[in-house]
Amino acid sequence: MGSLETEKTIIGWAARDPSGVLSPYTYTLRNTGPEDVLIKVTYCGICHTDLHQIKNDLGMSHYPMVPGHEVVGEVVEVGSDVSKVRVGDCVGVGVIVGCCRSCRPCQSDIEQYCSKKIWSYNDVYTDGKPTQGGFAESMIVDQKWDGTGAGGATTVRGVTVYSPLSHFGLKKSGLRGGILGLGGVGHMGVKIAKAMGHHVTVISSSDRKREEAMDHLGADDYLVSSDSTRMQEAADSLDYIIDTVPVFHPLEPYLSLLKLDGKLILMGVINTPLQFVTPMVMLGRKIITGSFIGSMKETEEMLEFCKENGLTSMIEMVKMDYVNTALERLEKNDVRYRFVVDVAGSKLDQ
């Protein structure tokens, strides 16, 4: 059990302005408390949300900003009241590092919907110090937010899909589901839905990912959204659609695929309004809803589910000196299916 009272100076890679270009940045970690854990970051995934944040797409970015919220690391020190993890444990850290712990969502174990949640980066911690993410040597996190044995890319992407399937009663076998967009979240969506016994249709804007979806991920069907004949044939066939697309897109073509009482579940962070005509929803009693990551309880359930079913995220490993190129490629959707930065294996000071 170590002492965390002394501020620690570390190196991370930060964006300085909306160009989003990352470069080495030296800073001190926030002050710590008895329930805090010091983590040596080993790996960190790259998410489309990182692009939105470093480029100020949502108009709420503060610089310098060290992104990264799909973190895997090793516990190197723990506070005096830490009981959840021990030095040497492998842990994961996600999008959130704080909440009020007293509101209805917090008391109901769905703390990701706390109105006072604290983001893992581009936010301010309770002591007034900026939070910084996982593209760095180390992080300090309250023990509540450490997922033991977690894998960053699998944890965040997996629970983002697992949570709505669980909440909306869509875990039972025999359902017919659609996965719109085959990226980091989408490919885990296919794997998890198939493991639940669902008939899974991947929906994409082109035929380019058909072989990957069908042969490598095990999808049952593949629809190209611009193929009006096939889209019409598939009308009223799906119980739900997980919509992972992070850019503007029309909703009507996908609403038509849903059965009576079908659910279109939005997950992509989009900074422009989406539109649909109300009869598309009214005449099938269809539901357009959203879901945001998952709770720590759901994360633990999802990790156990993935372990039991042998599910892992498909990744491309890169060093930190490649991160700007990786972000450019991610913006072009040129990755299968998740970039992960080998932080511990990178030279962060150059």
Side-chain angles (χ1 to χ4, degrees):
M1 192 169 292
S3 172
L4 300 177
E5 295 179 357
T6 305
E7 282 195 342
K8 298 182 184 297
T9 300
I10 65 166
I11 299 175
W13 275 49
R16 266 63 169 204
D17 54 54
S19 70
V21 175
L22 305 185
S23 59
Y25 169 61
T26 301
Y27 60 101
T28 57
L29 294 177
R30 65 169 176 80
N31 292 327
T32 57
E35 293 194 19
D36 285 325
V37 176
L38 176 63
I39 300 166
K40 175 187 175 183
V41 177
T42 49
Y43 302 102
C44 187
I46 305 177
C47 176
H48 207 280
T49 303
D50 296 323
L51 274 174
H52 284 309
Q53 293 281 22
I54 62 176
K55 291 180 176 291
N56 197 27
D57 288 344
L58 305 177
M60 51 186 287
S61 297
H62 301 279
Y63 303 97
M65 180 199 304
V66 178
H69 64 256
E70 299 179 352
V71 182
V72 174
E74 179 187 348
V75 176
V76 293
E77 291 183 23
V78 296
S80 58
D81 293 341
V82 170
S83 58
K84 185 178 177 182
V85 298
R86 297 180 296 180
V87 171
D89 282 351
C90 176
V91 297
V93 180
V95 183
I96 301 173
V97 295
C99 64
C100 76
R101 306 195 187 203
S102 61
C103 66
R104 187 166 69 89
C106 285
Q107 292 294 311
S108 303
D109 288 329
I110 47 172
E111 63 280 348
Q112 72 271 32
Y113 297 111
C114 174
S115 62
K116 296 180 180 179
K117 60 181 163 287
I118 300 174
W119 306 102
S120 54
Y121 68 89
N122 194 35
D123 205 348
V124 178
Y125 204 69
T126 53
D127 62 355
K129 197 174 183 68
T131 59
Q132 302 288 10
F135 291 1
E137 293 175 306
S138 304
M139 293 180 72
I140 290 177
V141 183
D142 186 287
Q143 65 173 334
K144 174 179 175 61
W145 306 100
D146 295 320
T148 307
T154 298
T155 299
V156 179
R157 298 312 99 201
V159 78
T160 300
V161 174
Y162 184 90
S163 177
L165 292 177
S166 177
H167 173 73
F168 291 113
L170 299 171
K171 290 170 64 177
K172 58 187 177 184
S173 64
L175 296 179
R176 300 179 70 90
I179 305 295
L180 177 54
L182 197 61
V185 174
H187 92 283
M188 283 303 297
V190 175
K191 289 188 170 191
I192 289 174
K194 284 295 296 179
M196 289 179 175
H198 298 181
H199 180 285
V200 178
T201 298
V202 169
I203 311 161
S204 188
S205 59
S206 75
D207 212 40
R208 185 165 55 95
K209 297 181 181 179
R210 179 184 296 274
E211 182 180 348
E212 301 169 34
M214 304 287 285
D215 296 344
H216 301 300
L217 297 176
D220 300 287
D221 201 358
Y222 189 95
L223 286 176
V224 178
S225 56
S226 59
D227 186 339
S228 57
T229 300
R230 286 280 288 120
M231 289 288 284
Q232 189 170 359
E233 291 172 351
D236 302 315
S237 66
L238 301 178
D239 295 293
Y240 67 87
I241 295 174
I242 300 289
D243 183 347
T244 73
V245 178
V247 295
F248 175 83
H249 56 288
L251 298 184
E252 284 95 340
Y254 312 110
L255 288 168
S256 69
L257 299 176
L258 293 172
K259 298 177 181 178
L260 176 68
D261 293 326
K263 297 174 178 64
L264 177 62
I265 305 169
L266 303 176
M267 294 184 176
V269 177
I270 303 171
N271 61 352
T272 54
L274 299 180
Q275 296 178 326
F276 61 93
V277 293
T278 57
M280 294 291 296
V281 176
M282 296 164 55
L283 297 179
R285 204 164 62 187
K286 298 172 184 179
I287 298 171
I288 299 174
T289 187
S291 182
F292 175 62
I293 56 168
S295 66
M296 292 304 295
K297 181 179 179 181
E298 289 171 322
T299 299
E300 291 168 1
E301 290 177 8
M302 179 276 304
L303 286 170
E304 187 61 30
F305 179 85
C306 288
K307 180 180 178 180
E308 290 174 358
N309 291 278
L311 306 182
T312 58
S313 182
M314 297 171 67
I315 66 169
E316 180 177 338
M317 190 77 73
V318 299
K319 301 289 189 183
M320 190 66 80
D321 59 8
Y322 189 79
V323 70
N324 289 306
T325 302
L327 287 162
E328 291 174 3
R329 286 180 54 193
L330 175 60
E331 196 163 22
K332 299 173 184 175
N333 199 26
D334 178 23
V335 56
R336 300 295 176 271
Y337 287 93
R338 206 57 159 190
F339 283 118
V340 173
V341 181
D342 178 6
V343 179
S346 299
K347 296 181 179 178
L348 299 186
D349 58 351
Q350 53 184 269

